[in-house]
Amino acid sequence: MANRETLQKLLMSSSDEEGEIVPNCITNYHFVDRNGESVSFSILPLHWGRDDILGTVNSEIFLREAAADGLQHIYKKVLAWRFELSYALPEIHVFSRGKIWIKLLKPRKSYAYTIRTILIIVHFLHFVKKKPDAIEEILWNYIGKNLRF
């Protein structure tokens, strides 16, 4: 695990982008590297707790969203990701360069396969945390119901 200094360096290396409006949650998204190739957000460092992150930022990863009207697009550099298991459904967030945590909702269909493994793992952890004694069949029914690709 990285220490508090590493997290602070990561947070300080990001800059505020004045005048930009960034939503706190996003749908129809995907992530790309600097070459425009689709990548999983799981290659970003994992933010674990208040002061710790796992991993280092080795490449530039950007969050992209196309609005339903096709006119407005979001293109944000992201630095880390985290997940939360305390709610009715698990939540996944990414930390943008503008020092904002953005909640990821439904990915764009063509991107869902790229992040399928990480979504299954997060939903698996969420289920096991809530029902540690459940049988395997119930677990897979839960995952199938919540992750329709």
Side-chain angles (χ1 to χ4, degrees):
M1 278 194 201
N3 60 21
R4 176 178 264 197
E5 291 174 17
T6 304
L7 179 61
Q8 288 174 340
K9 286 179 187 175
L10 177 67
L11 298 178
M12 292 180 76
S13 70
S14 62
S15 64
D16 291 318
E17 296 175 16
E18 294 183 34
E20 185 176 17
I21 298 173
V22 178
N24 62 354
C25 61
I26 193 165
T27 60
N28 197 26
Y29 65 86
H30 65 287
F31 290 85
V32 295
D33 62 14
R34 76 167 90 187
N35 299 321
E37 300 290 325
S38 285
V39 294
S40 175
F41 60 83
S42 63
I43 65 173
L44 290 167
L46 177 62
H47 181 268
W48 197 259
R50 291 187 58 82
D51 299 325
D52 294 327
I53 59 171
L54 297 176
T56 57
V57 179
N58 292 326
S59 59
E60 291 185 329
I61 305 297
F62 300 90
L63 169 63
R64 296 202 61 184
E65 180 210 30
D69 60 12
L71 298 176
Q72 189 176 30
H73 297 279
I74 291 180
Y75 188 78
K76 291 289 291 177
K77 184 174 181 179
V78 289
L79 305 169
W81 73 286
R82 71 174 186 205
F83 60 91
E84 177 61 54
L85 304 176
S86 301
Y87 303 110
L89 289 174
E91 293 184 359
I92 298 174
H93 298 83
V94 291
F95 188 68
S96 76
R97 185 175 177 183
K99 300 180 183 179
I100 298 170
W101 284 102
I102 302 169
K103 181 177 163 182
L104 302 178
L105 298 174
K106 188 175 181 177
R108 84 192 264 195
K109 284 188 178 201
S110 62
Y111 182 70
Y113 187 78
T114 303
I115 60 170
R116 177 182 172 153
T117 302
I118 195 67
L119 293 177
I120 290 171
I121 291 169
V122 170
H123 278 264
F124 172 86
L125 291 172
H126 178 260
F127 182 87
V128 172
K129 179 181 178 185
K130 301 281 186 194
K131 300 177 183 179
D133 297 326
I135 60 174
E136 184 179 350
E137 181 180 344
I138 295 172
L139 165 65
W140 290 115
N141 287 338
Y142 164 82
I143 289 176
K145 176 183 161 191
N146 288 295
L147 295 176
R148 297 211 168 128
F149 297 108

